[in-house]
Amino acid sequence: MANGLELAGDFTHFQRKELAISQSTATETPVTPPTGLKSRLDSYFEITRRGSNFATEMRGGIVTFVTMAYIVILNPIILSGHPDVNGDMLAFPQVAAVTALTAGVMTILFGVIARLPFGFAAGLGINSFLAVSVVGQVTWPEAMGLVVVNGLIIVLLAATGLRRLIFEAVPIQLKLAITVGIGLFIAFIGLVNAGFVTSTGAASPPVGLGVEGSVATVPTLVFIITLLITGVLVARKVKGALLIGLVGSTVIAVIVEAIMKLGPSFVDGKPNPGGWSLSVPELPAQWVSLPDLSLVGDVSFGSFERIGALAALMLVFTLVFTNFFDAMGTMTGLSNEAKLADANGDFPRLKSALVVEGIGAVAGGFSSSSSNTVFIESGAGIGEGARTGFANIVTGLLFLIAMFFTPLTSIVPSEVASAALVIVGAMMMTQIKDIDFSEFSVLLPVFLTIIVMPLTYSIANGIGAGFVAWVLIRSLSGKGKGISPLLWIVAAGFLLYFVRGPIEAMLGA
């Protein structure tokens, strides 16, 4: 018994000594500057202080890239093939190149400044919003100009501290509902692009399954196979499941096309119902090429004149909100996973992280790759042990190398990529478990936020419906005391957005 007490006392003494050494290491400045590049990097990124090492950071950075690399394929599929108001479209190889470029630069920049292991790339949701809802009203350069304006606003909000105030003004239920709604919207886009859900051309039902109620084309069957393969990989927690599913199913699609010669869905302007909807899975003539970066700087701010200041501002408002909540929630979740957050959810260099995230939107708009933001897939690298921004250096360099392999991205058919959209949408749906539905004054605004997005094919409509319903239903049911004045202002802005057509007609008259 005495020996046990002595051992316990020695262990406690050892713990106290270790804690004292740890505290000393964390607070004292070395008397002599570190020597050698490795030592300087260790000191700058705080690798040893965070309980990591270079090998672990490199492995974590590679895993993060593997789980994020699908965006180099998926982003150009989402953005290309959608004509703007003038009928112009973004070229697939160009979008792939700038997607990899911007992801690489922003991931490295965030790692160097914020020193956190959070990878950056074109945000899913915003790119879909641009392709589906924005470019029908403006040109692609004008759409990217709106993304730049959105980014500048986010930088300003972060630098002044207003971003935190606005974030706190929106109830947590609506924040979660926005994420869930975007997930449903993304999944619906994937189902439509794959031909699994199609328009019936009738008033009721407006949509149906495949062709006349059945899966009737080989490309749609490939989508189903991809969805099942990727779903199993994700369920089994295989690292890089999305990328493996995309690559593996693309190989299947290439083999199918080589045997069956399905071709594109339109040949010389004539429909080919059994063909591939966007890109035909054929091996390119060359696999490696110099990246075409001609889209960089192709930005215009003429949308305010083309569609009017009110409509343009409401589009910017939607972009800001989508960027705002997605990034804030993702960074909070990742910092908690990496055990870098304190009891209040704050993490090291919070202000710098929020500013750089806004710069990601500016960079994404300037390069025509869409707003770049923090990727939740960074959690895979954190799971491998990444704790510092050094992992981002590794991830970013791999993205820059990927620029030279963009010809390979053109062989991925949208039916394959659409499965990834459905998987990502399902992942975003998980946030619904944290919403308290016990009060109907909460249930209805949340429900409207979620359901209006996919049914109207608009993120803006969903956010607006939720905000307006929240302030009206909560206040009229006697629970409006806790509603922030900022939320009232936002809801009023959305009311103007919803009736902007009649208002613009009156102003025009």
Side-chain angles (χ1 to χ4, degrees):
M1 187 71 173
N3 289 338
L5 290 173
E6 288 174 6
L7 286 172
D10 290 343
F11 182 67
T12 303
H13 173 71
F14 174 76
Q15 282 184 313
R16 289 173 179 170
K17 183 176 180 181
E18 185 180 42
L19 178 62
I21 292 172
S22 174
Q23 290 174 338
S24 173
T25 304
T27 57
E28 293 180 6
T29 303
V31 177
T32 57
T35 58
L37 177 61
K38 187 174 181 179
S39 181
R40 291 177 184 275
L41 289 173
D42 186 295
S43 176
Y44 180 80
F45 289 106
E46 303 173 340
I47 295 174
T48 301
R49 282 183 57 185
R50 295 184 185 178
S52 186
N53 55 61
F54 281 97
T56 300
E57 294 299 304
M58 291 182 69
R59 187 173 67 251
I62 293 171
V63 170
T64 295
F65 170 76
V66 169
T67 57
M68 288 178 59
Y70 71 89
I71 195 63
V72 179
I73 300 171
L74 194 55
N75 194 47
I77 286 179
I78 293 173
L79 295 181
S80 64
H82 291 274
D84 62 19
V85 70
N86 290 339
D88 298 323
M89 294 187 291
L90 299 179
F92 194 104
Q94 293 174 331
V95 177
V98 295
T99 297
L101 170 67
T102 314
V105 171
M106 285 309 308
T107 298
I108 292 173
L109 183 65
F110 189 83
V112 170
I113 295 178
R115 306 180 205 176
L116 296 168
F118 304 166
F120 267 63
L124 292 170
I126 287 183
N127 52 9
S128 301
F129 175 61
L130 292 175
V132 176
S133 303
V134 178
V135 296
Q137 307 174 56
V138 300
T139 66
W140 272 111
E142 289 168 350
M144 294 303 170
L146 293 174
V147 175
V148 171
V149 173
N150 145 68
L152 293 174
I153 292 173
I154 290 177
V155 170
L156 180 62
L157 292 174
T160 59
L162 289 174
R163 187 171 187 178
R164 183 187 293 272
L165 293 177
I166 296 174
F167 183 79
E168 293 172 351
V170 180
I172 183 63
Q173 295 94 330
L174 289 183
K175 295 173 186 175
L176 296 172
I178 290 170
T179 301
V180 175
I182 292 173
L184 280 181
F185 182 48
I186 289 175
F188 188 51
I189 291 173
L191 293 170
V192 170
N193 288 349
F196 191 82
V197 173
T198 57
S199 172
T200 62
S204 180
V207 295
L209 173 66
V211 179
E212 297 181 353
S214 64
V215 177
T217 68
V218 172
T220 302
L221 180 61
V222 171
F223 158 77
I224 296 172
I225 293 172
T226 306
L227 185 64
L228 293 174
I229 291 173
T230 310
V232 170
L233 293 173
V234 173
R236 295 181 68 88
K237 299 181 180 179
V238 175
K239 291 180 174 64
L242 285 170
L243 183 64
I244 295 171
L246 285 169
V247 173
S249 298
T250 298
V251 172
I252 295 174
V254 169
I255 295 172
V256 168
E257 173 60 22
I259 296 173
M260 303 185 69
K261 303 294 183 182
L262 300 174
S265 57
F266 281 88
V267 180
D268 297 327
K270 297 179 180 180
N272 175 26
W276 305 92
S277 62
L278 285 179
S279 55
V280 178
E282 296 175 323
L283 293 177
Q286 58 180 22
W287 289 32
V288 181
S289 68
L290 291 175
D292 183 351
L293 303 177
S294 58
L295 287 177
V296 175
D298 189 15
V299 177
S300 170
F301 300 98
S303 58
F304 290 86
E305 181 178 354
R306 182 185 297 274
I307 62 176
L310 177 61
L313 285 173
M314 292 313 300
L315 291 175
V316 170
F317 177 79
T318 302
L319 291 170
V320 170
F321 256 81
T322 304
N323 255 5
F324 188 100
F325 295 115
D326 181 61
M328 197 78 165
T330 300
M331 285 193 282
T332 300
L334 291 176
S335 62
N336 284 325
E337 184 180 351
K339 296 179 174 56
L340 297 174
D342 60 21
N344 296 321
D346 295 334
F347 47 87
R349 300 176 184 86
L350 172 60
K351 185 175 181 178
S352 298
L354 295 177
V355 170
V356 176
E357 198 277 327
I359 294 174
V362 176
F366 185 75
S367 66
S368 294
S369 65
S370 182
S371 176
N372 274 231
T373 188
V374 178
F375 255 51
I376 194 66
E377 285 82 358
S378 305
I382 292 173
E384 285 292 319
R387 293 293 180 270
T388 78
F390 187 78
N392 270 33
I393 306 298
V394 177
T395 304
L397 289 175
L398 290 174
F399 267 118
L400 295 180
I401 293 172
M403 283 194 302
F404 297 91
F405 294 88
T406 53
L408 285 175
T409 64
S410 62
I411 70 173
V412 182
S414 64
E415 287 80 3
V416 168
S418 293
L421 285 178
V422 175
I423 294 291
V424 172
M427 290 176 176
M428 296 177 75
M429 269 288 296
T430 60
Q431 299 290 327
I432 201 168
K433 71 181 186 303
D434 298 320
I435 302 176
D436 184 0
F437 291 111
S438 59
E439 295 184 42
F440 192 78
S441 61
V442 171
L443 172 59
L444 185 56
V446 166
F447 175 75
L448 289 174
T449 301
I450 294 172
I451 201 67
V452 168
M453 285 188 193
L455 292 186
T456 65
Y457 237 53
S458 170
I459 295 172
N461 292 343
I463 294 175
F467 280 19
V468 172
W470 181 276
V471 299
L472 292 179
I473 294 174
R474 295 284 291 178
S475 59
L476 293 176
S477 59
K479 299 176 181 178
K481 187 176 180 181
I483 300 176
S484 168
L486 282 174
L487 196 61
W488 278 100
I489 294 172
V490 171
F494 267 117
L495 280 175
L496 289 175
Y497 174 71
F498 288 141
V499 298
R500 70 185 186 280
I503 292 176
E504 290 172 354
M506 291 171 58
L507 292 176

